[in-house]
Every structure is written in C-alpha cells, then in structure tokens.
Amino acid sequence: MWLTWRTSAKQRGLVFVGPSSAVLRRITDPAVLATTVAGTPNFAMTPANADLRGVRRVDVDVLGDAHGTMWAFPPVETTVRTGDALVLAESPAAFLDGEREDALREVARGLLSSFGYVGAGVVTFLIRSEKR
C-alpha cells in the first residue's frame, strides 16, 4: 500500500518527502530494529500492549539529509492524550534536565542514522516517571 501511494503521488507530480522504501523495510523489521538498539544503554523496545501507567511520552523530531547529516530538535513531552489523540504538547519537556535531553537527542539521531534515514521523522521515547 505504501509504495502504491508513493508511486501514485509521483505520477501526479507530487514530491514525496520521507524515508525510502528500503529504509521503511529496515525500520519495520523487528530483528533489524532489535539489533540496532541493542547496544544503546538503558534503552529497550516496548511491546505495543505494554502497561503505560506512570510513563511519560517524549517525542524527538529528527531531520536527515542525503549526505548523512542528522539534526535532532529539543524533546517535546506528549504524555497528555485521550486515546491516541494528543491533547497537550510541552516544549521543552520540563522534567528533563539538559544532560538527559542531550542523551535523547543523540539516541534519536543515532537510531535514524543507522537506518540511513532521509527526511523528517519522530522518535518516541517512553520514560518511567520515577527514574531520573
């Protein structure tokens, strides 16, 4: 479906901004993703059905170019939701100190760089509130 949409957009003269189909396949392959994040300290994959009570959600917007340069913007707390709909976004994420903010940005950059990601993307982190 994804490739069909992309081809259809191209035929209509629309420019697609985002990752290539090869990057999308790598990102969605659970084995590749698990191997990629395995060396990152204090980082673990969270199952889709995990209990998220007491967890804060933080998004890091990332922009990558075709030359391998990756920019990560300040983290945004997006914990306040109703279902899947975002109710409130707080930037900067007030509960993060500078060191932790820098670490999240570095992990986001490294993760998408490892996939050869080009375009705009978001890396979401789930952080237990009781841990600093």
Side-chain angles (χ1 to χ4, degrees):
M1 179 177 124
W2 176 256
L3 295 177
T4 304
W5 180 88
R6 186 176 182 162
T7 302
S8 177
K10 188 175 182 179
Q11 290 170 346
R12 290 175 175 75
L14 299 173
V15 176
F16 174 79
V17 178
S20 69
S21 57
V23 169
L24 286 173
R25 281 191 295 277
R26 286 194 303 270
I27 288 175
T28 57
D29 182 332
V32 172
L33 188 56
T35 301
T36 302
V37 300
T40 306
N42 300 318
F43 186 87
M45 302 295 292
T46 302
N49 61 350
D51 178 6
L52 299 180
R53 289 176 289 189
V55 172
R56 294 178 119 158
R57 178 182 169 141
V58 177
D59 293 342
V60 177
D61 294 312
V62 182
L63 184 62
D65 69 14
H67 304 288
T69 305
M70 198 66 68
W71 295 272
F73 299 93
V76 178
E77 183 173 5
T78 57
T79 304
V80 182
R81 298 176 163 268
T82 179
D84 287 335
L86 179 62
V87 174
L88 176 70
E90 182 181 7
S91 180
F95 75 98
L96 293 175
D97 59 26
E99 183 179 326
R100 196 162 192 197
E101 180 179 314
D102 290 344
L104 291 176
R105 292 171 72 183
E106 185 60 33
V107 169
R109 270 194 304 268
L111 181 63
L112 293 187
S113 288
S114 70
F115 288 113
Y117 194 93
V118 175
V122 177
V123 177
T124 299
F125 297 92
L126 302 175
I127 301 172
R128 293 250 175 247
S129 297
E130 65 273 6
K131 294 182 181 175
R132 289 293 287 153

